[in-house]
Amino acid sequence: MSEHSRILASDFSLPSGEGIVERLSENNDSLARLGARHLVVYRGLDDPRRVFATLGLHDRGSIEKLVRNPAVFDWFDAAGVDEIPPLFAGEVVEKIDLASAESDHSGILVAAIAPVESVPALLGAVRKSLRRFISAGVRRVWIYQALDDRQEVMILQELDTEESAVAWVEHPDAAAEWMSGAGVGVYPPLFVGKLQRIMDLQPQT
């Protein structure tokens, strides 16, 4: 697997929407020492205090070190998070690029963490429905399977516009049935937001 195949993700809120990127950009040295390579920060469209952040990691060992190490909780504390949120730790099982090669990542992210009955069935349904995804304005689909619960997934979808994202969330295709599992029980509601920054945490060699 590539260095981008494993991820630690979290959906949380901060007391203020001001200076979010600056606060999350600080205190990253300990995360880098534990194997974090990239920090990607998205900000909610409807609630500017809501943040979705992902850490790209070297390997599975890096995830285990981060989850066990208090440094990750210190990072949340330093950012001003009132309540430490659940962490999703997973590895990629599918990445589908539906956009042109020159398309950037300026679209709108729709993120869902939810349980599914069968990951292979989910992958099959998505692959069979790519034309419908394209019609809805979906540019990219990334699907991650949790390391600790193999029937828990995180699906990241990038759509071309805010209007497309809102329409997709309000009237999802049957192929995106996982979206109905977000916000149920321990799972956070769907996150809809825009990319704020991608930070490289490793020194260049």
Side-chain angles (χ1 to χ4, degrees):
M1 289 189 176
S2 73
E3 64 189 33
H4 304 293
S5 297
R6 295 176 180 88
I7 198 168
L8 195 66
S10 190
D11 180 339
F12 55 93
S13 294
L14 294 173
S16 168
E18 298 300 321
I20 281 179
V21 171
E22 290 72 16
R23 277 181 279 163
L24 298 182
S25 300
E26 298 173 354
N27 307 300
N28 289 333
D29 289 346
S30 58
L31 301 183
R33 288 194 296 271
L34 291 168
R37 295 187 63 86
H38 300 95
L39 172 63
V40 184
V41 178
Y42 299 88
R43 185 172 182 170
L45 291 181
D46 291 337
D47 182 354
R49 298 172 302 168
R50 191 175 174 195
V51 175
F52 187 84
T54 67
L55 281 170
L57 299 140
H58 281 298
D59 49 39
R60 183 165 181 157
S62 298
I63 287 182
E64 292 169 350
K65 285 188 291 185
L66 269 168
V67 170
R68 292 196 310 263
N69 198 290
V72 70
F73 302 107
D74 292 342
W75 180 82
F76 279 117
D77 285 339
V81 178
D82 290 331
E83 184 175 343
I84 303 301
L87 300 174
F88 175 91
E91 56 190 358
V92 72
V93 290
E94 186 72 279
K95 281 190 176 183
I96 302 172
D97 195 335
L98 303 173
S100 60
E102 56 272 9
S103 175
D104 60 18
H105 290 268
S106 61
I108 304 300
L109 181 80
V110 176
I113 300 173
V116 294
E117 290 187 7
S118 167
V119 172
L122 166 68
L123 298 180
V126 170
R127 291 166 186 153
K128 290 177 183 178
S129 307
L130 294 183
R131 289 184 182 275
R132 304 208 300 268
F133 278 72
I134 292 171
S135 296
V138 178
R139 293 178 178 179
R140 297 177 177 89
V141 182
W142 302 270
I143 301 175
Y144 294 85
Q145 187 173 25
L147 295 174
D148 60 343
D149 181 348
R150 303 306 280 174
Q151 291 190 259
E152 182 178 286
V153 294
M154 179 176 72
I155 302 102
L156 307 181
Q157 302 167 89
E158 182 185 299
L159 288 94
D160 49 12
T161 66
E162 182 176 345
E163 291 75 20
S164 296
V166 170
W168 186 240
V169 168
E170 292 182 348
H171 304 286
D173 192 283
E177 61 180 352
W178 67 80
M179 291 167 66
S180 63
V184 177
V186 299
Y187 298 98
L190 286 171
F191 175 89
V192 182
K194 193 169 182 63
L195 177 68
Q196 295 297 293
R197 187 172 297 177
I198 300 174
M199 289 168 259
D200 189 349
L201 305 183
Q202 296 289 316
Q204 299 296 318
T205 57

